[in-house]
Amino acid sequence: VGYSALVWICIWACLAFGLKWTGRIAYISMGLPIILLFVFLIKACTLEGASEGINAYIGQWDMSVLTERPDVWSTAVSQIFFSLSVTFGTMTAYGSHCPRGEPAFVNSVVIGLSNSMFSFIA
């Protein structure tokens, strides 16, 4: 019940106080999980046997799969679109508040790379 009340209070604050409060709440609700993700990553890297797991996850790549199975590329692209599709409406709403001269291509590349980086870390 407590988390549900917290969410409804955040929604009420966003609606009642407008864009300025929405930005403040977004900094907290997005910044805290990112900080926790890196804390968990550092903790996991210090555990016993972490080097074997990192080597199995990152160190042993079979690059021939990328040329022999072309469906891997479409699966990877669909995964990125799926993970970004949850926030398409929000990105459109916030994009309307960007300055006119804001570089849209650079912003989209940063969003896509950030999404991939956090998916890789998580």
Short mmCIF file of all heavy atoms in Angstrom, two decimals, residues 1-12:
data_model
loop_
_atom_site.label_atom_id
_atom_site.label_comp_id
_atom_site.label_asym_id
_atom_site.label_seq_id
_atom_site.Cartn_x
_atom_site.Cartn_y
_atom_site.Cartn_z
N VAL A 1 0.83 -1.18 0.00
CA VAL A 1 0.00 0.00 0.00
C VAL A 1 0.88 1.25 0.00
O VAL A 1 0.54 2.25 -0.62
CB VAL A 1 -0.96 -0.01 1.22
CG1 VAL A 1 -1.71 1.27 1.35
CG2 VAL A 1 -1.88 -1.19 1.14
N GLY A 2 2.01 1.18 0.68
CA GLY A 2 2.89 2.33 0.79
C GLY A 2 3.46 2.78 -0.55
O GLY A 2 3.49 3.98 -0.85
N TYR A 3 3.92 1.83 -1.37
CA TYR A 3 4.48 2.19 -2.68
C TYR A 3 3.40 2.73 -3.61
O TYR A 3 3.65 3.63 -4.39
CB TYR A 3 5.19 0.99 -3.31
CG TYR A 3 6.46 0.61 -2.60
CD1 TYR A 3 6.62 -0.66 -2.07
CD2 TYR A 3 7.49 1.53 -2.45
CE1 TYR A 3 7.79 -1.01 -1.42
CE2 TYR A 3 8.66 1.18 -1.80
CZ TYR A 3 8.80 -0.09 -1.28
OH TYR A 3 9.95 -0.42 -0.64
N SER A 4 2.21 2.14 -3.51
CA SER A 4 1.12 2.63 -4.34
C SER A 4 0.76 4.07 -3.97
O SER A 4 0.52 4.91 -4.85
CB SER A 4 -0.10 1.72 -4.17
OG SER A 4 -1.17 2.17 -4.97
N ALA A 5 0.75 4.36 -2.69
CA ALA A 5 0.47 5.73 -2.25
C ALA A 5 1.57 6.68 -2.72
O ALA A 5 1.29 7.80 -3.16
CB ALA A 5 0.34 5.77 -0.74
N LEU A 6 2.82 6.23 -2.67
CA LEU A 6 3.93 7.07 -3.13
C LEU A 6 3.80 7.37 -4.62
O LEU A 6 4.02 8.51 -5.06
CB LEU A 6 5.26 6.38 -2.84
CG LEU A 6 6.51 7.11 -3.31
CD1 LEU A 6 6.70 8.40 -2.53
CD2 LEU A 6 7.73 6.22 -3.16
N VAL A 7 3.43 6.37 -5.40
CA VAL A 7 3.24 6.57 -6.84
C VAL A 7 2.11 7.56 -7.10
O VAL A 7 2.25 8.47 -7.93
CB VAL A 7 2.98 5.23 -7.55
CG1 VAL A 7 2.52 5.44 -8.97
CG2 VAL A 7 4.23 4.37 -7.53
N TRP A 8 1.01 7.43 -6.39
CA TRP A 8 -0.11 8.34 -6.60
C TRP A 8 0.21 9.76 -6.16
O TRP A 8 -0.23 10.74 -6.76
CB TRP A 8 -1.37 7.83 -5.91
CG TRP A 8 -2.04 6.77 -6.71
CD1 TRP A 8 -2.11 5.44 -6.42
CD2 TRP A 8 -2.70 6.94 -7.96
NE1 TRP A 8 -2.77 4.78 -7.41
CE2 TRP A 8 -3.14 5.68 -8.38
CE3 TRP A 8 -2.95 8.03 -8.78
CZ2 TRP A 8 -3.82 5.47 -9.56
CZ3 TRP A 8 -3.63 7.83 -9.97
CH2 TRP A 8 -4.06 6.57 -10.34
N ILE A 9 1.03 9.90 -5.13
CA ILE A 9 1.47 11.23 -4.70
C ILE A 9 2.37 11.86 -5.77
O ILE A 9 2.25 13.05 -6.08
CB ILE A 9 2.18 11.16 -3.34
CG1 ILE A 9 1.15 10.85 -2.25
CG2 ILE A 9 2.93 12.45 -3.02
CD1 ILE A 9 1.75 10.53 -0.90
N CYS A 10 3.25 11.06 -6.36
CA CYS A 10 4.11 11.56 -7.44
C CYS A 10 3.27 11.97 -8.66
O CYS A 10 3.52 13.02 -9.26
CB CYS A 10 5.13 10.50 -7.85
SG CYS A 10 6.42 10.23 -6.64
N ILE A 11 2.28 11.18 -9.00
CA ILE A 11 1.40 11.52 -10.13
C ILE A 11 0.62 12.79 -9.82
O ILE A 11 0.51 13.68 -10.68
CB ILE A 11 0.45 10.34 -10.45
CG1 ILE A 11 1.24 9.17 -11.03
CG2 ILE A 11 -0.64 10.78 -11.42
CD1 ILE A 11 0.44 7.91 -11.17
N TRP A 12 0.13 12.91 -8.62
CA TRP A 12 -0.60 14.12 -8.23
C TRP A 12 0.30 15.35 -8.30
O TRP A 12 -0.10 16.40 -8.80
CB TRP A 12 -1.18 13.96 -6.83
CG TRP A 12 -1.82 15.21 -6.35
CD1 TRP A 12 -3.07 15.66 -6.64
CD2 TRP A 12 -1.23 16.21 -5.52
NE1 TRP A 12 -3.29 16.87 -6.03
CE2 TRP A 12 -2.17 17.23 -5.34
CE3 TRP A 12 0.02 16.32 -4.90
CZ2 TRP A 12 -1.91 18.35 -4.56
CZ3 TRP A 12 0.27 17.45 -4.14
CH2 TRP A 12 -0.68 18.44 -3.98
#
